[in-house]
């Protein structure tokens, strides 16, 4: 059991003086108020953090049976206005830098001010309108890490269209599924991107995807490459030519949106089959991302904030785009991979842009820690004031390295626990509040009322008894539904315990009240912060004619934290070969995308099942993790010889 009792508080004295929340006492008082009088608390926050066209009629209403939640009902506002116009109107921030952008090629850089961002968003909004986009239409965005991606999101929000950003780590097939699910008619994309020294053929994926999407009538293509990518006449337009139709001083009035209108659909899983698009709203989501950004990162006006996560992931939405811009902050956007041209690329950029708040994933921390300290020490990181980690468990070793080597022992680490569904952080240390424990996500954010339940639905014993983490009270940032299919929202999140949100994660609370996340209790495999469903990966493997059965599980991976391990049964045993292994790995990468990289394929003569034919995933989990001495009760297995065969085969797999 992870439980590092040593407190880390060396940073606290220096940090506290200027922190927005300076003490545990202050946190506790505000936290209590957020639970005891939520309507007053959230109304105050909505008033402080956002500009409203019309004030809400009520703060909150719910229909528990139907899992319907409404925040700031009747209120009207616009996301693009809140991210841009109001900073220009009241804040005189027209010349403030919104983003420092750097391409993977370090010679390619640009800075974009709030004023320039405003102009670009308006021109793109005009283009969208000219192409017939209307309030409530979905527009799919499939772009590399460029400022234009944020422009595209805000232009959609400005006219009331719903943006659906698909991460370019997913390939043509998942893209088709998302476009079909949200019935988008307009796609905004780029010819290509760059990652780890390679060209990512983005437009090619779009062209392939659109073979099955005849309703798409318009594709806007940002030119990143030097060579001309062929455009399809009548459908495709270069970004620069589309923008040239409008002058820099033309603008679009921001559409007043109901607080509960969808701001975006985020496709989360179901990529190989039925996509699952979580819906986030204008009012509640914006408030929650603005507030968590400001308080968790203790964001100040002069900060340089770098969230390294791709905009195509929820952290990119909530922190790189909305949280940063809503607070009028200066952010950093980097297009490429962390090891290009070498393992000090991130540290070089921290030094160059004088980054003060740096937020990344544990996979990246582990990857960079393995390269040794010299890459870090080669750079002046004295600008750093705070480090963030999120999207997966960081663990003690990586935490310590991040704290000591990167942060020089003076920067707090905020280990933020959250999900696509939660919209923003729900458990996290607040940097000026209390000492840290490596590997713990600290305490609940304001308004979050966590409870840990055992198998029978009873609250677990305090301290330390593990159970499933649920959240008792709704909060503004929570996703409201699954696009076009509310049942798929009700079942996984609200059907286990009455009146509670079920996170799907096991957790425990220690004697100091700190939370520790123990991992997923379902078949979601969280790879570098992106949840992939085991069944979706299996479905792709089943699509290969030589496969008779497949089971995919997670296993501890030295860099990724969690890796993908597939047990595969073939129709003909003679086919077992490394060439076929490679073919299967490539098939999953091609059908789902580079994000779905299978790490190990183990041939299996059969899979362990109960007499009623149910697959025993827990046994496979343990074999994959090489914990074969502790397989638990195997008496339920219909054919125990199967296990022996699997263990023998596991021994042949070296190095993990
Ligand atoms: P996603 O919705 O793709 O961001 O994935 C959410 C999942 O990532 C959660 O359900 C957790 O399993 C995991 N996760 C997120 N943040 C943390 C964290 N700080 N520590 C441990 N696990 C985390």
């Amino acid at each position: 059991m992870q439980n590092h009792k040593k407190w880390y508080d060396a940073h606290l004295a220096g940090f506290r003086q200027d922190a927005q929340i300076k003490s545990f006492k202050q946190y506790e008082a505000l936290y209590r108020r957020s639970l005891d009088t939520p309507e007053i608390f959230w109304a105050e926050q909505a008033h402080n953090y956002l500009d409203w066209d019309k004030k809400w009629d009520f703060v909150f209403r719910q229909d528990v049976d139907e899992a319907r939640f409404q925040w700031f009902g009747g209120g009207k506002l616009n996301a693009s206005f809140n991210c841009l116009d109001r900073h220009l109107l009241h804040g005189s921030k027209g010349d403030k830098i919104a983003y420092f952008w750097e391409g993977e090629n370090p010679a390619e850089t640009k800075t974009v001010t709030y004023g320039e961002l405003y102009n670009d968003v308006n021109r793109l909004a005009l283009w969208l309108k000219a192409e017939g986009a209307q309030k409530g239409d979905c527009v799919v965005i499939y772009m590399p890490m460029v400022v234009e991606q944020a422009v595209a999101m805000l232009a959609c929000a400005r006219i009331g269209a719903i943006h659906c950003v698909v991460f370019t780590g997913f390939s043509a097939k998942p893209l088709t599924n998302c476009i079909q699910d949200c019935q988008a008619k307009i796609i905004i994309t780029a010819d290509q991107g760059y990652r780890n020294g390679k060209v990512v053929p983005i437009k090619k994926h779009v062209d392939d995807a659109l073979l099955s999407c005849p309703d798409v009538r318009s594709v806007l293509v940002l030119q990143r490459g030097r060579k001309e990518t062929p455009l399809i006449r009548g459908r495709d337009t270069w970004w620069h030519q589309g923008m040239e139709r409008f002058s820099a001083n033309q603008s679009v009035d921001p559409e007043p949106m109901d607080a509960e209108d969808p701001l975006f659909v985020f496709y989360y899983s179901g990529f190989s089959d039925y996509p699952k698009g979580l819906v986030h709203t204008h009012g509640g989501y914006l408030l929650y991302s603005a507030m968590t950004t400001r308080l968790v990162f203790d964001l100040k006006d002069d900060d340089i904030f770098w969230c390294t996560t791709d905009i195509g992931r929820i952290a990119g939405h909530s922190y790189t785009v909305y949280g940063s811009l809503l607070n009028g902050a200066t952010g950093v956007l980097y297009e490429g991979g962390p090891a290009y041209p070498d393992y000090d690329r991130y540290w070089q950029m921290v030094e160059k842009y004088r980054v003060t708040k740096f937020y990344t994933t544990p996979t990246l921390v582990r990857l960079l820690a393995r390269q040794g300290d010299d890459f870090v020490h080669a750079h002046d990181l004295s600008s750093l004031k705070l480090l963030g980690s999120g999207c997966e468990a960081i663990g003690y070793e990586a935490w310590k390295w991040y704290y000591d080597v990167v942060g020089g022992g003076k920067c707090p680490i905020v280990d933020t626990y959250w999900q696509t569904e939660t919209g923003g952080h729900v458990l996290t240390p607040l940097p000026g509040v209390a000492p840290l424990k490596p590997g713990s996500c600290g305490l609940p954010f304001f308004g979050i009322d966590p409870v840990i339940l055992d198998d029978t639905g009873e609250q677990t014993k305090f301290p330390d008894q593990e159970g499933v983490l649920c959240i008792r009270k709704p909060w503004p940032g929570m996703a409201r539904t699954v696009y076009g299919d509310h049942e798929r929202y009700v079942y996984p999140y609200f059907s286990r315990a009455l009146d509670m949100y079920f996170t799907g994660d096991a957790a425990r609370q220690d004697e100091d009240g700190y939370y520790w996340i123990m991992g997923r209790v379902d078949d979601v495999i969280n790879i570098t912060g992106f949840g992939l469903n085991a069944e979706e990966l299996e479905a792709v493997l089943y699509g290969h004619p030589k496969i008779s059965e497949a089971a995919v599980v997670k296993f501890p991976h030295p860099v990724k934290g969690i890796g993908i391990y597939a047990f595969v049964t073939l129709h003909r045993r003679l086919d077992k070969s490394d060439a076929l292994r490679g073919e299967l790995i490539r098939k999953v990468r091609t059908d789902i995308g580079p994000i779905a990289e299978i790490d190990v394929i183990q041939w299996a003569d059969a899979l362990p099942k109960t007499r009623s034919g149910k697959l025993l995933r827990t046994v496979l989990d343990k074999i994959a993790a090489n914990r074969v001495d502790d397989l638990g009760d195997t008496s339920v297995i219909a054919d125990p010889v199967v296990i022996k065969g699997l263990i023998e085969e596991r021994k042949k797999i070296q190095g993990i």
Side-chain angles (χ1 to χ4, degrees):
M1 183 190 283
Q2 270 190 324
N3 197 357
H4 299 285
K5 296 208 179 234
K6 181 170 177 317
W7 298 99
Y8 284 79
D9 58 5
H11 60 274
L12 263 185
F15 199 89
R16 255 182 188 159
Q17 288 160 5
D18 295 331
Q20 297 176 64
I21 311 260
K22 292 183 176 22
S23 66
F24 184 73
K25 215 169 139 203
Q26 192 188 349
Y27 159 78
E28 209 181 17
L30 207 54
Y31 178 66
R32 273 268 56 92
R33 212 152 72 73
S34 73
L35 296 193
D36 294 345
T37 50
E39 303 218 358
I40 299 173
F41 175 83
W42 285 117
E44 279 170 10
Q45 307 309 320
H47 178 74
N48 291 342
Y49 279 87
L50 300 172
D51 271 19
W52 296 79
D53 296 328
K54 175 182 171 286
K55 211 182 148 195
W56 50 90
D57 302 324
F58 59 87
V59 174
F60 171 64
R61 265 185 206 157
Q62 66 177 341
D63 174 346
V64 174
D65 295 337
E66 296 274 317
R68 303 264 178 203
F69 307 94
Q70 282 178 279
W71 284 91
F72 312 111
K76 293 213 180 277
L77 77 170
N78 183 280
S80 152
F81 180 90
N82 272 279
C83 289
L84 303 171
D85 308 39
R86 70 171 167 150
H87 300 316
L88 309 185
L89 290 172
H90 330 306
S92 324
K93 283 194 173 157
D95 294 330
K96 181 168 181 181
I97 291 170
Y99 290 114
F100 288 110
W101 176 82
E102 196 163 300
E104 185 163 86
N105 170 0
E108 273 193 287
T109 58
K110 74 174 170 189
T111 52
V112 180
T113 64
Y114 273 87
E116 288 163 343
L117 202 58
Y118 171 87
N119 288 342
D120 287 351
V121 166
N122 274 283
R123 286 162 90 192
L124 185 58
L126 284 161
W127 180 85
L128 283 167
K129 280 195 156 212
E131 291 300 305
Q134 291 184 2
K135 181 174 175 177
D137 288 350
C138 288
V139 173
V140 165
I141 300 170
Y142 185 68
M143 295 185 94
M145 278 288 273
V146 286
V147 178
E148 288 81 353
Q149 192 170 6
V151 171
M153 291 162 75
L154 295 178
C156 290
R158 192 161 191 92
I159 64 164
I162 303 166
H163 59 73
C164 313
V165 175
V166 179
F167 175 42
T168 50
F170 290 104
S171 56
K173 174 79 172 46
L175 181 59
T176 304
N177 291 339
C178 300
I179 296 170
Q180 289 178 345
D181 187 71
C182 71
Q183 298 168 1
K185 311 270 186 304
I186 299 177
I187 315 291
I188 304 178
T189 187
D191 53 353
Q192 60 187 48
Y194 301 91
R195 196 152 175 96
N196 297 324
K198 294 198 187 109
V199 170
V200 185
I202 294 177
K203 174 67 163 41
K204 160 99 180 61
H205 290 160
V206 172
D207 287 340
D208 291 349
L210 293 190
L211 294 174
S212 314
C213 306
D215 293 340
V216 171
R217 56 170 188 259
S218 186
V219 179
L220 190 68
V221 188
L222 180 80
Q223 190 170 3
R224 287 282 299 118
R226 294 231 173 82
K227 281 203 221 122
E228 284 272 312
T229 297
L231 297 193
I232 294 184
R233 196 192 282 255
R235 190 196 74 180
D236 301 351
T237 310
W238 285 117
W239 174 292
H240 53 275
Q241 288 172 354
M243 296 305 99
E244 271 163 23
R245 285 162 57 188
F246 309 99
S247 66
N249 54 13
Q250 277 181 280
S251 61
V252 176
D253 285 341
E255 185 72 33
M257 302 300 289
D258 195 283
E260 279 297 304
D261 278 336
L263 171 63
F264 64 86
V265 176
F266 187 92
Y267 281 98
Y268 173 56
S269 74
F271 285 104
S272 57
D273 204 344
Y274 302 103
K276 178 173 167 186
L278 287 161
V279 176
H280 280 287
T281 58
H282 270 256
Y285 170 83
L286 288 183
L287 170 59
Y288 204 69
S289 70
M291 192 173 161
T292 47
T293 310
R294 193 178 307 171
L295 298 184
V296 174
F297 301 111
D298 194 43
L299 203 66
K300 310 267 176 45
D301 208 37
D302 56 355
D303 270 324
I304 309 292
F305 176 50
W306 186 11
C307 165
T308 66
T309 314
D310 197 286
I311 294 178
R313 297 171 169 208
I314 191 69
H317 279 53
S318 298
Y319 297 108
T320 307
V321 178
Y322 287 111
S324 185
L325 296 177
L326 286 165
N327 284 293
T330 297
V332 175
L333 269 185
Y334 168 53
E335 174 190 34
Y340 191 85
D342 215 333
Y343 286 100
D344 63 345
R345 183 62 190 270
Y346 276 12
W347 315 131
Q348 207 180 59
M349 287 184 54
V350 168
E351 179 177 13
K352 178 172 172 186
Y353 297 106
R354 305 298 294 153
V355 172
T356 53
K357 312 278 163 82
F358 178 77
Y359 185 36
T360 194
T361 59
T363 295
L364 273 159
V365 175
R366 282 187 291 266
L367 175 80
L368 299 178
R370 283 164 79 93
Q371 317 311 319
D373 302 355
D374 290 351
F375 285 109
V376 185
H377 293 324
H379 298 279
D380 172 9
L381 305 188
S382 59
S383 59
L384 286 173
K385 293 184 181 155
L386 173 145
L387 302 171
S389 166
C391 303
E392 28 159 342
I394 184 162
Y396 179 74
E397 295 301 330
W399 192 101
K400 271 285 286 162
W401 183 82
Y402 200 27
Y403 188 81
D404 290 338
V405 180
V406 179
K410 68 174 174 55
C411 301
I413 295 180
V414 287
D415 179 354
T416 58
Y417 166 79
W418 63 302
Q419 307 176 307
T420 306
E421 295 84 343
T422 66
H425 311 139
V426 288
L427 300 176
T428 175
L430 289 180
V433 162
L436 304 162
K437 294 189 190 188
S440 163
C441 302
L443 300 167
F445 190 72
F446 302 110
I448 300 296
D449 187 13
V451 57
I452 301 175
L453 303 180
D454 67 15
D455 290 346
T456 64
E458 290 297 313
Q459 198 164 341
T460 53
K461 278 200 215 74
F462 177 86
D464 282 333
Q465 194 190 344
E466 194 177 318
V468 173
L469 179 69
C470 295
I471 301 177
R472 271 184 289 226
K473 282 189 170 47
W475 65 102
M478 67 198 293
R480 298 291 193 276
T481 187
V482 167
Y483 192 70
D485 195 350
H486 192 65
E487 269 310 296
R488 287 176 75 201
Y489 175 73
V490 179
Y491 174 72
Y493 308 122
F494 293 98
S495 57
R496 314 270 175 120
L498 198 66
D499 195 10
M500 273 183 216
Y501 170 78
F502 173 83
T503 63
D505 281 302
R508 67 186 176 81
Q509 198 183 10
D510 69 17
E511 68 278 15
D512 299 305
Y514 279 38
Y515 286 86
W516 299 76
I517 300 296
M518 316 304 288
R520 301 285 312 181
V521 294
D522 53 17
D523 297 335
V524 172
I525 305 178
N526 185 32
I527 302 293
T528 64
F530 216 105
L532 295 167
N533 208 296
E535 283 176 8
E536 294 176 87
L537 298 164
E538 287 159 12
V540 176
L541 292 170
Y542 274 112
H544 192 286
K546 290 189 175 166
I547 305 294
S548 98
E549 274 195 301
V552 173
V553 296
K554 47 198 164 207
F555 77 104
H557 187 284
V559 177
K560 294 202 274 181
I562 289 170
I564 307 179
Y565 197 110
F567 293 89
V568 171
T569 307
L570 301 171
H571 289 299
R572 284 161 33 103
R573 288 185 191 189
L574 290 179
D575 287 328
K576 290 176 185 173
S577 68
D578 283 345
L580 182 57
R581 274 201 178 101
E583 202 181 304
L584 293 174
I585 290 171
R586 278 195 300 280
K587 179 169 167 50
V588 175
R589 269 180 70 96
T590 310
D591 284 15
I592 297 188
I595 186 88
E597 177 84 41
I598 295 190
D599 298 284
V600 183
I601 292 188
Q602 173 174 335
W603 304 125
D605 291 335
L607 297 177
K609 295 196 184 134
T610 61
R611 284 174 195 84
S612 58
K614 187 172 175 311
L615 183 68
L616 283 161
R617 284 187 192 273
T618 46
V619 171
L620 291 176
D621 276 341
K622 288 186 177 160
I623 294 175
N626 224 349
R627 281 167 44 212
V628 292
D629 297 337
D630 162 35
L631 292 183
D633 179 13
T634 51
S635 62
V636 288
I637 297 177
D639 181 2
V641 181
V642 169
I643 298 286
K644 242 178 111 190
L646 289 171
I647 294 175
E648 284 307 307
E649 200 64 36
R650 176 68 181 86
K651 285 186 192 148
K652 293 183 197 159
I653 294 170
Q654 305 287 321
I656 50 162

